[in-house]
Amino acid sequence: MTPTPNDYVLALDQGTSSSRAILFDHAGNVVRIAQREFRQYYPQPGHVEHDPYEIWQSQLAVAHAVLNDAGVSATQIRAIGITNQRETAVLWDRKTGEPVGRALVWQDRRTAPMCEALQAEGHEALFRNKTGLVIDAYFSGTKLRWMLDNYDDARARAQRGELAFGTVDSWLIWQLTDGARHVTDVSNAARTMLFNIHTFEWDDALLSLLDIPRSLLPEVVPSSGEVARTAPRLFGTQIPIAGIAGDQQAATFGQACLSPGMAKNTYGTGCFLLMNTGTQPVTSHNRLLTTIGWQLGGAPGARTTQYCLEGGVFMGGATIQWLRDGLQIIESAPEVEPLARQCDDTGGVVLVPAFAGLGAPHWDAFARGTLVGLTRGTGRPHIARAALEAIALQSVDVLTAMQKDSGIALAELRVDGGASRSDLLMQMQADLLGTPVVRPRVTETTALGAAYLAGLATGYWSDEAELASQWQVEHRFEPNLSADARAAQLARWHRAVDRSRDWAREDNA
């Protein structure tokens, strides 16, 4: 069906701290955005939880709000694309749709001892070879095991086939279809530690090792392809759900990183860097993740799968939230840049924001936040600047490993996410990386990627070449730091990282 000026694609962007709905037109432009934050639960140190119902209600509310605000009827929506916080685990009752307990968020570290035990038992290579992942509490497989072992009667109910597990995309689709569809796409399945990225199936050996019944798991579908239609009562009509991708894979697709060697960094609550490595997985020798980027639909034998290398920084924008809510040296996130500009450098201060451990390439669940180099002359501006530098420096570590693994020298880094709007941070990133940083005109690339996947499946867009033609540069940041100054700053950063390592291990002994 040929698109008309009155047709749109709706992206549901379910993030860690808020649910958003974004309406896109055929040119890939944002027509309208609606957003609603929801509560974060921290029952004890290292535990992070969400209320699954609040996620669903907030997502449905913004979907209605964006249509109402834009004056658009549901009948004008050609397709819905869903993108989501990936490793967050939800367990619910198949009959009632009620959650068994709160969702365990990707940031949650309660299963770190379980992961350490799996490593000690020698299972690291098994997981790496089948899933492309390291064994870490970040992923949802051990979270599901914990739920089965700790929520009342959960394991017995699971064995009777009464429960369903899913990442947030599965939970939303279940709700959007009134329980008619229990699915996830390959990009989300690839983040569970339970899915074989070579055979595209749930892996029986891994399920057995973690003692997880297969009956809990959703059907795995392509990232682009109509998989369901919304229940008529929700929008007054049935809208095709035709795109699903984890948030970082969606952002990579939305950034038009469609060829091997192209890379992006999303500066959200965390920072997530992905490099397209083509149709074959690349094994990492530097503790990065090998993951499925996306899979375009069609007959099973004709589906196209793209793989990526990925590294995640746990504390990106969340570091700025800590300045606001923890230290209370700013009242709102936008204040951090003008505060940091009050000094030319950090005065030797280095912040390692390992509040939830360190992600790639260190993978230290027991690292903790460290602020070093303080003197009597240290003030709020130095700490603010050190926080911004920490975001950029963590990303440099990941990108350095990524270039070693892929054998590809990065020509440029495409950026998106809320913090990418900070010119100071983006210049810091270019300087510390020694590579140009490019910010696109449309920075809502996570939602745009979900929209693109849905629109391709329904004929709203014709092919990937059309999508790539829509990508436009808004600003290009060129590095202007000398190689010697860059090396000195990176060396100081790595000294600080060493001091943060393994700090909390005695608490888990």
Side-chain angles (χ1 to χ4, degrees), residues 54-277:
E54 191 176 1
I55 288 176
W56 161 238
Q57 292 297 332
S58 61
Q59 191 65 75
L60 181 62
V62 293
H64 282 292
V66 79
L67 296 180
N68 292 335
D69 292 348
V72 169
S73 165
T75 59
Q76 295 173 254
I77 305 303
R78 287 280 294 273
I80 289 175
I82 294 174
T83 183
N84 57 287
Q85 47 167 322
R86 297 173 297 176
E87 296 82 7
T88 296
V90 186
L91 189 64
W92 67 93
D93 186 289
R94 286 185 178 275
K95 186 175 181 180
T96 67
E98 292 184 7
V100 174
R102 287 183 187 152
L104 303 191
V105 181
W106 58 271
Q107 298 163 314
D108 191 284
R109 309 302 296 171
R110 75 187 66 189
T111 64
M114 186 191 306
C115 292
E116 194 171 47
L118 288 168
Q119 292 167 337
E121 292 164 7
H123 298 304
E124 185 84 51
L126 177 69
F127 280 94
R128 163 69 77 179
N129 293 337
K130 289 176 176 287
T131 71
L133 308 177
V134 298
I135 297 175
D136 192 82
Y138 176 35
F139 306 108
S140 48
T142 57
K143 291 179 172 67
L144 174 55
R145 168 67 182 268
W146 188 94
M147 289 171 151
L148 294 175
D149 290 342
N150 289 274
Y151 287 153
D152 288 346
D153 202 31
R155 181 165 293 281
R157 294 171 66 191
Q159 289 170 345
R160 293 194 298 265
E162 297 173 5
L163 301 183
F165 160 78
T167 43
V168 172
D169 58 311
S170 297
W171 169 245
L172 291 179
I173 293 170
W174 180 280
Q175 296 293 337
L176 285 165
T177 62
D178 279 347
R181 294 289 279 153
H182 183 207
V183 300
T184 189
D185 91 297
V186 291
S187 73
N188 279 291
R191 311 298 296 189
T192 61
M193 278 178 48
L194 306 173
F195 186 73
N196 191 312
I197 64 171
H198 309 284
T199 65
F200 306 110
E201 294 178 346
W202 300 115
D203 192 276
D204 287 329
L206 302 180
L207 294 175
S208 176
L209 190 59
L210 289 175
D211 197 14
I212 292 172
R214 178 182 276 270
S215 61
L216 284 168
L217 302 175
E219 176 190 350
V220 181
V221 298
S223 310
S224 180
E226 184 177 333
V227 298
R229 288 182 174 249
T230 59
R233 68 176 182 84
L234 294 176
F235 299 101
T237 188
Q238 291 185 300
I239 305 173
I241 300 171
I244 316 168
D247 51 10
Q248 303 315 316
Q249 289 97 328
T252 308
F253 199 77
Q255 281 277 32
C257 292
L258 305 176
S259 301
M262 299 181 73
K264 70 87 195 176
N265 190 5
T266 297
Y267 299 81
T269 302
C271 292
F272 295 92
L273 301 97
L274 274 77
M275 174 184 281
N276 185 327
T277 60

Side-chain angles (χ1 to χ4, degrees), residues 277-343:
T277 60
T279 57
Q280 297 297 319
V282 171
T283 300
S284 174
H285 300 287
N286 292 279
R287 306 206 77 202
L288 298 181
L289 308 177
T290 302
T291 196
I292 294 174
W294 51 85
Q295 185 182 75
L296 303 185
R303 293 172 182 171
T304 303
T305 305
Q306 294 286 125
Y307 290 87
C308 294
L309 281 171
E310 174 175 346
V313 171
F314 294 154
M315 298 294 292
T319 305
I320 308 306
Q321 292 172 347
W322 175 71
L323 296 184
R324 181 192 67 192
D325 303 332
L327 289 189
Q328 298 182 357
I329 66 172
I330 56 175
E331 292 185 0
S332 64
E335 293 177 18
V336 69
E337 179 166 338
L339 179 61
R341 287 187 182 277
Q342 292 179 21
C343 55

Side-chain angles (χ1 to χ4, degrees), residues 336-358:
V336 69
E337 179 166 338
L339 179 61
R341 287 187 182 277
Q342 292 179 21
C343 55
D344 293 331
D345 56 50
T346 68
V349 174
V350 181
L351 170 64
V352 183
F355 304 119
L358 287 170

Side-chain angles (χ1 to χ4, degrees), residues 348-354 358 362 367-373 393 489-501:
V349 174
V350 181
L351 170 64
V352 183
L358 287 170
H362 311 288
R368 287 298 178 264
T370 305
L371 186 61
V372 296
L393 286 160
Q489 200 158 342
L490 289 171
R492 184 175 61 186
W493 161 253
H494 290 134
R495 285 169 55 208
V497 169
D498 287 343
R499 284 158 173 77
S500 77
R501 300 291 301 269

